[in-house]
Amino acid sequence: MTRHSLGSDGPGDHADRGADIGAGCGLLVLELALLVVIFGAWLLTGVSLDPAEQGGTAPLSGYLPWAGGVGLLAFVATVIAARAKAVITVIGQGFMAVLVAVVIAGGMAAQRHEDRLDPPVTERPDTVVGCRSGGDSRECARSGG
């Protein structure tokens, strides 16, 4: 009968290293690809082939929930890997979950800053939209009424 000291790995104390490394790398590649697609789609909203059109990217806040889904996937994978004692996968997925959380927090802060610098234009209901002939103001159309 052999005794194992505290902290030593006995048979069955951890997942197969090859499967652990494969799962960890595969999940990292999948999650990075998803993040590239999400943020690539956001960047493409500002691309216009019309030279006369002044484009701007869509608000980042619309894409952050999708990134949050990737972070949630990484967190769930971390919990599952921890139960399976897949140490490499736990480290990789934990890193990815923290990285996505930092990206989301930074993205939200950047969006708030941008919103403060460039507030949305609101039109008053009695704003003059345009006059037809240059006569008096009765000929001018008004928005909202």
Side-chain angles (χ1 to χ4, degrees), residues 24-36 39 67-78 88-104:
C25 291
L27 285 168
L28 282 175
V29 167
L30 172 70
E31 290 157 354
L32 287 172
L34 287 171
L35 289 174
V36 165
F39 291 114
V70 174
L72 183 62
L73 171 71
F75 178 75
V76 169
T78 302
I88 304 296
T89 303
V90 168
I91 292 169
Q93 292 304 291
F95 170 77
M96 183 58 75
V98 169
L99 176 69
V100 169
V102 167
V103 167
I104 289 173

mmCIF file of all heavy atoms in Angstrom, residues 24-36 39 67-78 88-104:
data_model
loop_
_atom_site.group_PDB
_atom_site.id
_atom_site.type_symbol
_atom_site.label_atom_id
_atom_site.label_comp_id
_atom_site.label_asym_id
_atom_site.label_seq_id
_atom_site.Cartn_x
_atom_site.Cartn_y
_atom_site.Cartn_z
ATOM 1 N N GLY A 24 -8.667 23.312 -23.947
ATOM 2 C CA GLY A 24 -8.326 24.693 -23.600
ATOM 3 C C GLY A 24 -7.975 25.525 -24.825
ATOM 4 O O GLY A 24 -8.472 26.645 -24.999
ATOM 5 N N CYS A 25 -7.140 24.974 -25.697
ATOM 6 C CA CYS A 25 -6.755 25.712 -26.919
ATOM 7 C C CYS A 25 -7.934 25.874 -27.868
ATOM 8 O O CYS A 25 -8.131 26.942 -28.452
ATOM 9 C CB CYS A 25 -5.604 24.990 -27.623
ATOM 10 S SG CYS A 25 -4.049 25.050 -26.721
ATOM 11 N N GLY A 26 -8.720 24.830 -28.029
ATOM 12 C CA GLY A 26 -9.880 24.908 -28.912
ATOM 13 C C GLY A 26 -10.880 25.959 -28.468
ATOM 14 O O GLY A 26 -11.389 26.735 -29.280
ATOM 15 N N LEU A 27 -11.161 26.000 -27.178
ATOM 16 C CA LEU A 27 -12.095 26.998 -26.664
ATOM 17 C C LEU A 27 -11.547 28.415 -26.809
ATOM 18 O O LEU A 27 -12.276 29.333 -27.167
ATOM 19 C CB LEU A 27 -12.429 26.706 -25.192
ATOM 20 C CG LEU A 27 -13.378 25.541 -24.955
ATOM 21 C CD1 LEU A 27 -13.411 25.169 -23.482
ATOM 22 C CD2 LEU A 27 -14.773 25.884 -25.457
ATOM 23 N N LEU A 28 -10.249 28.599 -26.558
ATOM 24 C CA LEU A 28 -9.649 29.926 -26.722
ATOM 25 C C LEU A 28 -9.748 30.405 -28.165
ATOM 26 O O LEU A 28 -10.104 31.556 -28.427
ATOM 27 C CB LEU A 28 -8.193 29.924 -26.270
ATOM 28 C CG LEU A 28 -7.955 29.982 -24.772
ATOM 29 C CD1 LEU A 28 -6.468 29.859 -24.465
ATOM 30 C CD2 LEU A 28 -8.504 31.253 -24.182
ATOM 31 N N VAL A 29 -9.445 29.519 -29.102
ATOM 32 C CA VAL A 29 -9.517 29.892 -30.519
ATOM 33 C C VAL A 29 -10.961 30.224 -30.909
ATOM 34 O O VAL A 29 -11.213 31.219 -31.588
ATOM 35 C CB VAL A 29 -8.945 28.764 -31.414
ATOM 36 C CG1 VAL A 29 -9.280 28.977 -32.874
ATOM 37 C CG2 VAL A 29 -7.439 28.657 -31.219
ATOM 38 N N LEU A 30 -11.919 29.420 -30.458
ATOM 39 C CA LEU A 30 -13.330 29.668 -30.751
ATOM 40 C C LEU A 30 -13.778 31.011 -30.181
ATOM 41 O O LEU A 30 -14.413 31.812 -30.881
ATOM 42 C CB LEU A 30 -14.194 28.542 -30.175
ATOM 43 C CG LEU A 30 -15.705 28.764 -30.241
ATOM 44 C CD1 LEU A 30 -16.182 28.688 -31.683
ATOM 45 C CD2 LEU A 30 -16.428 27.760 -29.374
ATOM 46 N N GLU A 31 -13.442 31.289 -28.946
ATOM 47 C CA GLU A 31 -13.874 32.535 -28.312
ATOM 48 C C GLU A 31 -13.202 33.751 -28.943
ATOM 49 O O GLU A 31 -13.852 34.781 -29.146
ATOM 50 C CB GLU A 31 -13.590 32.470 -26.813
ATOM 51 C CG GLU A 31 -14.497 31.485 -26.116
ATOM 52 C CD GLU A 31 -13.955 30.968 -24.806
ATOM 53 O OE1 GLU A 31 -12.796 31.269 -24.451
ATOM 54 O OE2 GLU A 31 -14.705 30.241 -24.135
ATOM 55 N N LEU A 32 -11.921 33.636 -29.262
ATOM 56 C CA LEU A 32 -11.253 34.751 -29.937
ATOM 57 C C LEU A 32 -11.864 35.006 -31.310
ATOM 58 O O LEU A 32 -12.040 36.153 -31.713
ATOM 59 C CB LEU A 32 -9.751 34.492 -30.046
ATOM 60 C CG LEU A 32 -8.972 34.617 -28.743
ATOM 61 C CD1 LEU A 32 -7.531 34.153 -28.929
ATOM 62 C CD2 LEU A 32 -9.020 36.037 -28.214
ATOM 63 N N ALA A 33 -12.207 33.930 -32.027
ATOM 64 C CA ALA A 33 -12.846 34.090 -33.338
ATOM 65 C C ALA A 33 -14.205 34.779 -33.194
ATOM 66 O O ALA A 33 -14.554 35.662 -33.988
ATOM 67 C CB ALA A 33 -13.004 32.728 -34.019
ATOM 68 N N LEU A 34 -14.972 34.398 -32.181
ATOM 69 C CA LEU A 34 -16.268 35.044 -31.950
ATOM 70 C C LEU A 34 -16.092 36.526 -31.635
ATOM 71 O O LEU A 34 -16.849 37.366 -32.134
ATOM 72 C CB LEU A 34 -17.012 34.354 -30.808
ATOM 73 C CG LEU A 34 -17.598 32.978 -31.119
ATOM 74 C CD1 LEU A 34 -18.114 32.316 -29.847
ATOM 75 C CD2 LEU A 34 -18.696 33.087 -32.146
ATOM 76 N N LEU A 35 -15.104 36.866 -30.818
ATOM 77 C CA LEU A 35 -14.862 38.273 -30.490
ATOM 78 C C LEU A 35 -14.434 39.063 -31.722
ATOM 79 O O LEU A 35 -14.840 40.216 -31.907
ATOM 80 C CB LEU A 35 -13.819 38.392 -29.385
ATOM 81 C CG LEU A 35 -14.285 37.943 -27.999
ATOM 82 C CD1 LEU A 35 -13.122 37.957 -27.013
ATOM 83 C CD2 LEU A 35 -15.431 38.799 -27.498
ATOM 84 N N VAL A 36 -13.631 38.453 -32.592
ATOM 85 C CA VAL A 36 -13.217 39.121 -33.832
ATOM 86 C C VAL A 36 -14.432 39.373 -34.722
ATOM 87 O O VAL A 36 -14.580 40.451 -35.308
ATOM 88 C CB VAL A 36 -12.139 38.293 -34.572
ATOM 89 C CG1 VAL A 36 -11.953 38.756 -36.004
ATOM 90 C CG2 VAL A 36 -10.817 38.358 -33.820
ATOM 91 N N PHE A 39 -16.660 42.281 -32.909
ATOM 92 C CA PHE A 39 -16.098 43.626 -33.009
ATOM 93 C C PHE A 39 -15.779 43.996 -34.447
ATOM 94 O O PHE A 39 -15.771 45.179 -34.797
ATOM 95 C CB PHE A 39 -14.894 43.779 -32.078
ATOM 96 C CG PHE A 39 -15.306 43.760 -30.640
ATOM 97 C CD1 PHE A 39 -14.922 42.729 -29.796
ATOM 98 C CD2 PHE A 39 -16.115 44.752 -30.118
ATOM 99 C CE1 PHE A 39 -15.315 42.702 -28.470
ATOM 100 C CE2 PHE A 39 -16.529 44.736 -28.796
ATOM 101 C CZ PHE A 39 -16.130 43.705 -27.971
ATOM 102 N N ALA A 67 -20.509 40.261 -26.729
ATOM 103 C CA ALA A 67 -19.218 39.955 -26.105
ATOM 104 C C ALA A 67 -19.438 39.367 -24.713
ATOM 105 O O ALA A 67 -18.716 38.462 -24.288
ATOM 106 C CB ALA A 67 -18.357 41.207 -26.035
ATOM 107 N N GLY A 68 -20.449 39.870 -24.010
ATOM 108 C CA GLY A 68 -20.781 39.313 -22.705
ATOM 109 C C GLY A 68 -21.183 37.849 -22.799
ATOM 110 O O GLY A 68 -20.884 37.062 -21.904
ATOM 111 N N GLY A 69 -21.841 37.487 -23.885
ATOM 112 C CA GLY A 69 -22.188 36.080 -24.102
ATOM 113 C C GLY A 69 -20.947 35.213 -24.245
ATOM 114 O O GLY A 69 -20.897 34.090 -23.729
ATOM 115 N N VAL A 70 -19.931 35.739 -24.913
ATOM 116 C CA VAL A 70 -18.666 35.005 -25.041
ATOM 117 C C VAL A 70 -18.012 34.874 -23.669
ATOM 118 O O VAL A 70 -17.488 33.809 -23.312
ATOM 119 C CB VAL A 70 -17.718 35.703 -26.041
ATOM 120 C CG1 VAL A 70 -16.357 35.024 -26.070
ATOM 121 C CG2 VAL A 70 -18.328 35.717 -27.433
ATOM 122 N N GLY A 71 -18.073 35.941 -22.870
ATOM 123 C CA GLY A 71 -17.531 35.881 -21.512
ATOM 124 C C GLY A 71 -18.272 34.879 -20.651
ATOM 125 O O GLY A 71 -17.665 34.156 -19.853
ATOM 126 N N LEU A 72 -19.583 34.819 -20.810
ATOM 127 C CA LEU A 72 -20.382 33.841 -20.069
ATOM 128 C C LEU A 72 -20.008 32.418 -20.480
ATOM 129 O O LEU A 72 -19.892 31.531 -19.632
ATOM 130 C CB LEU A 72 -21.876 34.099 -20.296
ATOM 131 C CG LEU A 72 -22.838 33.191 -19.532
ATOM 132 C CD1 LEU A 72 -22.669 33.375 -18.031
ATOM 133 C CD2 LEU A 72 -24.268 33.484 -19.942
ATOM 134 N N LEU A 73 -19.808 32.209 -21.772
ATOM 135 C CA LEU A 73 -19.351 30.903 -22.264
ATOM 136 C C LEU A 73 -18.024 30.528 -21.613
ATOM 137 O O LEU A 73 -17.836 29.391 -21.166
ATOM 138 C CB LEU A 73 -19.211 30.934 -23.789
ATOM 139 C CG LEU A 73 -18.543 29.723 -24.439
ATOM 140 C CD1 LEU A 73 -19.466 28.518 -24.362
ATOM 141 C CD2 LEU A 73 -18.180 30.019 -25.877
ATOM 142 N N ALA A 74 -17.092 31.484 -21.535
ATOM 143 C CA ALA A 74 -15.794 31.218 -20.922
ATOM 144 C C ALA A 74 -15.947 30.897 -19.434
ATOM 145 O O ALA A 74 -15.279 29.994 -18.915
ATOM 146 C CB ALA A 74 -14.871 32.417 -21.112
ATOM 147 N N PHE A 75 -16.836 31.613 -18.746
ATOM 148 C CA PHE A 75 -17.043 31.357 -17.323
ATOM 149 C C PHE A 75 -17.629 29.957 -17.092
ATOM 150 O O PHE A 75 -17.181 29.230 -16.213
ATOM 151 C CB PHE A 75 -17.948 32.427 -16.711
ATOM 152 C CG PHE A 75 -18.232 32.199 -15.268
ATOM 153 C CD1 PHE A 75 -17.265 32.465 -14.310
ATOM 154 C CD2 PHE A 75 -19.456 31.698 -14.855
ATOM 155 C CE1 PHE A 75 -17.508 32.240 -12.961
ATOM 156 C CE2 PHE A 75 -19.722 31.469 -13.512
ATOM 157 C CZ PHE A 75 -18.742 31.739 -12.560
ATOM 158 N N VAL A 76 -18.627 29.601 -17.888
ATOM 159 C CA VAL A 76 -19.240 28.269 -17.749
ATOM 160 C C VAL A 76 -18.210 27.184 -18.046
ATOM 161 O O VAL A 76 -18.133 26.172 -17.340
ATOM 162 C CB VAL A 76 -20.482 28.150 -18.665
ATOM 163 C CG1 VAL A 76 -20.970 26.718 -18.755
ATOM 164 C CG2 VAL A 76 -21.595 29.057 -18.161
ATOM 165 N N ALA A 77 -17.390 27.406 -19.080
ATOM 166 C CA ALA A 77 -16.339 26.432 -19.403
ATOM 167 C C ALA A 77 -15.325 26.329 -18.268
ATOM 168 O O ALA A 77 -14.803 25.239 -17.994
ATOM 169 C CB ALA A 77 -15.654 26.826 -20.704
ATOM 170 N N THR A 78 -15.049 27.436 -17.591
ATOM 171 C CA THR A 78 -14.136 27.412 -16.450
ATOM 172 C C THR A 78 -14.694 26.546 -15.327
ATOM 173 O O THR A 78 -13.972 25.731 -14.742
ATOM 174 C CB THR A 78 -13.892 28.846 -15.914
ATOM 175 O OG1 THR A 78 -13.372 29.648 -16.966
ATOM 176 C CG2 THR A 78 -12.921 28.851 -14.755
ATOM 177 N N ILE A 88 -5.318 23.193 -17.215
ATOM 178 C CA ILE A 88 -4.943 24.055 -18.346
ATOM 179 C C ILE A 88 -6.181 24.791 -18.869
ATOM 180 O O ILE A 88 -6.141 25.993 -19.133
ATOM 181 C CB ILE A 88 -4.288 23.241 -19.480
ATOM 182 C CG1 ILE A 88 -3.080 22.458 -18.967
ATOM 183 C CG2 ILE A 88 -3.932 24.122 -20.654
ATOM 184 C CD1 ILE A 88 -1.946 23.312 -18.458
ATOM 185 N N THR A 89 -7.277 24.094 -19.014
ATOM 186 C CA THR A 89 -8.514 24.701 -19.494
ATOM 187 C C THR A 89 -9.040 25.718 -18.481
ATOM 188 O O THR A 89 -9.525 26.784 -18.874
ATOM 189 C CB THR A 89 -9.568 23.621 -19.791
ATOM 190 O OG1 THR A 89 -9.024 22.703 -20.738
ATOM 191 C CG2 THR A 89 -10.836 24.223 -20.359
ATOM 192 N N VAL A 90 -8.934 25.421 -17.207
ATOM 193 C CA VAL A 90 -9.373 26.364 -16.177
ATOM 194 C C VAL A 90 -8.579 27.659 -16.286
ATOM 195 O O VAL A 90 -9.152 28.761 -16.262
ATOM 196 C CB VAL A 90 -9.222 25.766 -14.759
ATOM 197 C CG1 VAL A 90 -9.390 26.829 -13.687
ATOM 198 C CG2 VAL A 90 -10.220 24.644 -14.542
ATOM 199 N N ILE A 91 -7.273 27.555 -16.444
ATOM 200 C CA ILE A 91 -6.435 28.748 -16.543
ATOM 201 C C ILE A 91 -6.785 29.546 -17.803
ATOM 202 O O ILE A 91 -6.988 30.758 -17.748
ATOM 203 C CB ILE A 91 -4.942 28.362 -16.536
ATOM 204 C CG1 ILE A 91 -4.557 27.813 -15.162
ATOM 205 C CG2 ILE A 91 -4.066 29.556 -16.904
ATOM 206 C CD1 ILE A 91 -3.189 27.168 -15.125
ATOM 207 N N GLY A 92 -6.899 28.875 -18.941
ATOM 208 C CA GLY A 92 -7.209 29.557 -20.200
ATOM 209 C C GLY A 92 -8.585 30.197 -20.200
ATOM 210 O O GLY A 92 -8.751 31.355 -20.618
ATOM 211 N N GLN A 93 -9.567 29.483 -19.712
ATOM 212 C CA GLN A 93 -10.930 30.007 -19.711
ATOM 213 C C GLN A 93 -11.113 31.087 -18.651
ATOM 214 O O GLN A 93 -11.863 32.041 -18.847
ATOM 215 C CB GLN A 93 -11.941 28.880 -19.514
ATOM 216 C CG GLN A 93 -12.013 27.939 -20.698
ATOM 217 C CD GLN A 93 -12.312 28.681 -21.976
ATOM 218 O OE1 GLN A 93 -13.405 29.188 -22.171
ATOM 219 N NE2 GLN A 93 -11.328 28.770 -22.856
ATOM 220 N N GLY A 94 -10.438 30.941 -17.531
ATOM 221 C CA GLY A 94 -10.467 31.996 -16.525
ATOM 222 C C GLY A 94 -9.862 33.278 -17.069
ATOM 223 O O GLY A 94 -10.396 34.372 -16.872
ATOM 224 N N PHE A 95 -8.742 33.139 -17.786
ATOM 225 C CA PHE A 95 -8.119 34.303 -18.430
ATOM 226 C C PHE A 95 -9.073 34.946 -19.428
ATOM 227 O O PHE A 95 -9.228 36.167 -19.467
ATOM 228 C CB PHE A 95 -6.820 33.878 -19.124
ATOM 229 C CG PHE A 95 -6.238 34.945 -19.997
ATOM 230 C CD1 PHE A 95 -5.560 36.013 -19.446
ATOM 231 C CD2 PHE A 95 -6.384 34.869 -21.373
ATOM 232 C CE1 PHE A 95 -5.027 37.009 -20.265
ATOM 233 C CE2 PHE A 95 -5.857 35.854 -22.192
ATOM 234 C CZ PHE A 95 -5.175 36.935 -21.629
ATOM 235 N N MET A 96 -9.738 34.131 -20.237
ATOM 236 C CA MET A 96 -10.653 34.658 -21.252
ATOM 237 C C MET A 96 -11.844 35.356 -20.607
ATOM 238 O O MET A 96 -12.266 36.426 -21.066
ATOM 239 C CB MET A 96 -11.134 33.544 -22.176
ATOM 240 C CG MET A 96 -12.032 34.028 -23.288
ATOM 241 S SD MET A 96 -11.298 35.282 -24.364
ATOM 242 C CE MET A 96 -10.200 34.296 -25.321
ATOM 243 N N ALA A 97 -12.380 34.794 -19.533
ATOM 244 C CA ALA A 97 -13.513 35.425 -18.849
ATOM 245 C C ALA A 97 -13.112 36.782 -18.283
ATOM 246 O O ALA A 97 -13.854 37.766 -18.412
ATOM 247 C CB ALA A 97 -14.031 34.506 -17.739
ATOM 248 N N VAL A 98 -11.924 36.865 -17.691
ATOM 249 C CA VAL A 98 -11.444 38.141 -17.149
ATOM 250 C C VAL A 98 -11.173 39.124 -18.282
ATOM 251 O O VAL A 98 -11.528 40.305 -18.192
ATOM 252 C CB VAL A 98 -10.189 37.924 -16.275
ATOM 253 C CG1 VAL A 98 -9.518 39.241 -15.924
ATOM 254 C CG2 VAL A 98 -10.549 37.152 -15.006
ATOM 255 N N LEU A 99 -10.573 38.654 -19.365
ATOM 256 C CA LEU A 99 -10.282 39.520 -20.507
ATOM 257 C C LEU A 99 -11.568 40.113 -21.089
ATOM 258 O O LEU A 99 -11.642 41.318 -21.355
ATOM 259 C CB LEU A 99 -9.535 38.742 -21.599
ATOM 260 C CG LEU A 99 -9.251 39.498 -22.887
ATOM 261 C CD1 LEU A 99 -8.212 40.582 -22.637
ATOM 262 C CD2 LEU A 99 -8.777 38.538 -23.965
ATOM 263 N N VAL A 100 -12.591 39.305 -21.257
ATOM 264 C CA VAL A 100 -13.860 39.792 -21.803
ATOM 265 C C VAL A 100 -14.503 40.786 -20.833
ATOM 266 O O VAL A 100 -15.046 41.810 -21.254
ATOM 267 C CB VAL A 100 -14.808 38.616 -22.131
ATOM 268 C CG1 VAL A 100 -16.206 39.104 -22.443
ATOM 269 C CG2 VAL A 100 -14.256 37.811 -23.304
ATOM 270 N N ALA A 101 -14.416 40.511 -19.544
ATOM 271 C CA ALA A 101 -14.978 41.451 -18.559
ATOM 272 C C ALA A 101 -14.270 42.800 -18.632
ATOM 273 O O ALA A 101 -14.919 43.851 -18.580
ATOM 274 C CB ALA A 101 -14.866 40.867 -17.150
ATOM 275 N N VAL A 102 -12.955 42.790 -18.805
ATOM 276 C CA VAL A 102 -12.196 44.040 -18.919
ATOM 277 C C VAL A 102 -12.571 44.768 -20.211
ATOM 278 O O VAL A 102 -12.754 45.994 -20.224
ATOM 279 C CB VAL A 102 -10.674 43.759 -18.853
ATOM 280 C CG1 VAL A 102 -9.864 44.962 -19.275
ATOM 281 C CG2 VAL A 102 -10.288 43.316 -17.443
ATOM 282 N N VAL A 103 -12.714 44.029 -21.311
ATOM 283 C CA VAL A 103 -13.099 44.636 -22.589
ATOM 284 C C VAL A 103 -14.492 45.259 -22.490
ATOM 285 O O VAL A 103 -14.725 46.368 -22.986
ATOM 286 C CB VAL A 103 -13.031 43.591 -23.730
ATOM 287 C CG1 VAL A 103 -13.725 44.087 -24.984
ATOM 288 C CG2 VAL A 103 -11.584 43.239 -24.028
ATOM 289 N N ILE A 104 -15.422 44.572 -21.851
ATOM 290 C CA ILE A 104 -16.785 45.102 -21.704
ATOM 291 C C ILE A 104 -16.773 46.358 -20.834
ATOM 292 O O ILE A 104 -17.402 47.363 -21.171
ATOM 293 C CB ILE A 104 -17.736 44.034 -21.133
ATOM 294 C CG1 ILE A 104 -17.987 42.967 -22.194
ATOM 295 C CG2 ILE A 104 -19.052 44.649 -20.677
ATOM 296 C CD1 ILE A 104 -18.766 41.781 -21.687
#
